[in-house]
Amino acid sequence: MDTYEKKGYLNSKFRLFHLTDKDSREINTHYHDFDKITIFIKGRVSYMVEGRTYELKPYDIVLVKHNDMHRLSVDSSLTYERIIVYISPNFTNAYKNDDYDLNFCFQKAQAEHSNVLRIPSLQKSALFDSIIRLEKSFSDDGYAAVLYRQVLFLEFMVHLNRAAIKNRLEFIDTKNHSKVSGILQYINDNLKEDLNMEHIARTFFISKYYMMRQFKQETGYTLGNYISRKRLLLAKELILSGVPSTQACFDCGYKDYSTFSRAYRRLFSESPRDTLSQISDGT
């Protein structure tokens, strides 16, 4: 059975890291319950998000939404340098009104079916300038350095969204136009519906067993386990938003509450009602 880990933690609105290392490693498929932005600075990295694989170039911006399955491969012959930001969805939601929405860049990336944004001309870009200031701030230990870094991060988010709105970014095409890409999109668009293997295979005019082999080969996880995991992650998100657990069960595609509850407990080590009680307790 595939195992997808929940990695990282976030006990504040957002966390900001500047990391440099030279480790050779293959980071297994995992997910977070927070949004993640990676500003790639240097190295050689292959980044896969929801079955789409990207070869990064310096100052590419990788957007990974909470619950997105992703993994990466790092070349040990080169130093890997990046800025990583963990962001609570509540943080960006707080910066949303009739005039602006800091979530727009994530929405645009989803609409473009791309997780990697590239700045076409670095020298002429206010966004690139904001990245450089943010990068340099990590060597600044002066007065209110942490606060200053947070201000620069907000400036970066403003410029990122401005660039996305004005189409001053390239949304990178992975050139992966196999049926698996379409299947991934179909699954995520239809988690509430019947997603049995035969139905999906018929929808994409391929044999069930060929589809299952290709899915495993291209994504690294089995089709059935992927569907189950994504449904349960959706259920938890619904419950945390205040949806009753019984309704969340059916809204994420399960037909039987006891089956749903057992699967939920196996994944999250707590029952759906335990999750719901966290909201009541304010935890």
Side-chain angles (χ1 to χ4, degrees):
M1 178 180 290
D2 302 327
T3 55
Y4 310 132
E5 295 182 83
K6 172 183 166 184
K7 286 183 177 283
Y9 63 92
L10 188 66
N11 53 15
S12 57
K13 291 181 179 179
F14 74 94
R15 301 182 72 211
L16 199 60
F17 308 87
H18 180 239
L19 303 174
T20 304
D21 50 51
K22 204 173 182 180
D23 296 333
S24 176
R25 63 193 185 280
E26 188 89 24
I27 299 177
N28 293 331
T29 302
H30 62 284
Y31 66 95
H32 310 286
D33 57 9
F34 46 80
D35 297 333
K36 176 182 176 183
I37 297 177
T38 299
I39 304 170
F40 175 67
I41 298 174
K42 63 182 178 181
R44 185 177 293 121
V45 174
S46 178
Y47 214 114
M48 191 189 81
V49 187
E50 292 291 341
R52 296 187 290 262
T53 302
Y54 308 87
E55 303 298 328
L56 300 185
K57 292 186 178 181
Y59 298 101
D60 279 353
I61 301 164
V62 185
L63 303 181
V64 178
K65 287 287 289 180
H66 56 283
N67 298 340
D68 277 354
M69 304 289 191
H70 58 287
R71 71 174 188 237
L72 59 154
S73 179
V74 181
D75 185 342
S76 64
S77 67
L78 297 171
T79 299
Y80 176 30
E81 183 177 1
R82 68 279 190 201
I83 295 170
I84 296 178
V85 192
Y86 292 166
I87 311 168
S88 162
N90 292 332
F91 174 78
T92 45
N93 288 339
Y95 290 92
K96 179 179 180 179
N97 60 30
D98 293 338
D99 296 323
Y100 54 81
D101 180 0
L102 292 189
N103 268 317
F104 178 82
C105 56
F106 283 99
Q107 296 162 5
K108 182 74 176 289
Q110 185 175 11
E112 297 286 343
H113 304 297
S114 175
N115 298 89
V116 175
L117 287 62
R118 185 166 293 160
I119 305 170
S121 177
L122 299 180
Q123 290 72 22
K124 300 177 181 179
S125 170
L127 174 59
F128 177 67
D129 291 342
S130 72
I131 291 173
I132 295 301
R133 287 193 292 275
L134 181 60
E135 184 182 352
K136 289 180 178 178
S137 73
F138 284 91
S139 58
D140 179 354
D141 58 357
Y143 175 76
V146 173
L147 176 61
Y148 178 55
R149 196 171 301 129
Q150 292 175 355
V151 170
L152 290 176
F153 167 67
L154 280 176
E155 180 189 12
F156 159 77
M157 287 296 293
V158 169
H159 284 296
L160 175 60
N161 281 281
R162 283 182 176 180
I165 290 169
K166 295 179 180 179
N167 296 315
R168 292 177 179 170
L169 293 168
E170 295 176 7
F171 290 84
I172 301 307
D173 185 350
T174 64
K175 307 301 181 185
N176 180 8
H177 299 298
S178 73
K179 286 188 182 292
V180 170
S181 298
I183 291 168
L184 282 162
Q185 188 66 43
Y186 180 82
I187 290 169
N188 283 286
D189 288 344
N190 295 279
L191 287 172
K192 299 179 181 181
E193 308 302 328
D194 183 10
L195 290 172
N196 67 69
M197 304 299 174
E198 290 80 5
H199 172 74
I200 298 173
R202 285 195 304 271
T203 300
F204 287 88
F205 305 101
I206 52 178
S207 79
K208 180 178 75 170
Y209 298 106
Y210 175 79
M211 174 186 69
M212 293 169 68
R213 285 196 303 272
Q214 287 297 109
F215 193 92
K216 175 71 173 179
Q217 181 178 324
E218 292 192 28
T219 67
Y221 30 85
T222 66
L223 183 55
N225 194 247
Y226 176 83
I227 292 171
S228 175
R229 181 59 58 94
K230 295 296 282 191
R231 280 177 162 164
L232 292 168
L233 289 170
L234 172 60
K236 186 169 187 178
E237 188 170 356
L238 291 171
I239 292 169
L240 288 172
S241 71
V243 173
S245 57
T246 49
Q247 182 180 334
C249 163
F250 299 113
D251 283 353
C252 72
Y254 276 85
K255 308 300 182 187
D256 175 72
Y257 186 83
S258 61
T259 302
F260 164 72
S261 183
R262 286 195 299 271
Y264 192 99
R265 187 183 289 275
R266 279 198 303 272
L267 178 58
F268 300 117
S269 299
E270 64 182 20
S271 72
R273 289 186 175 86
D274 291 336
T275 301
L276 192 59
S277 69
Q278 294 174 22
I279 305 172
S280 303
D281 295 341
T283 57

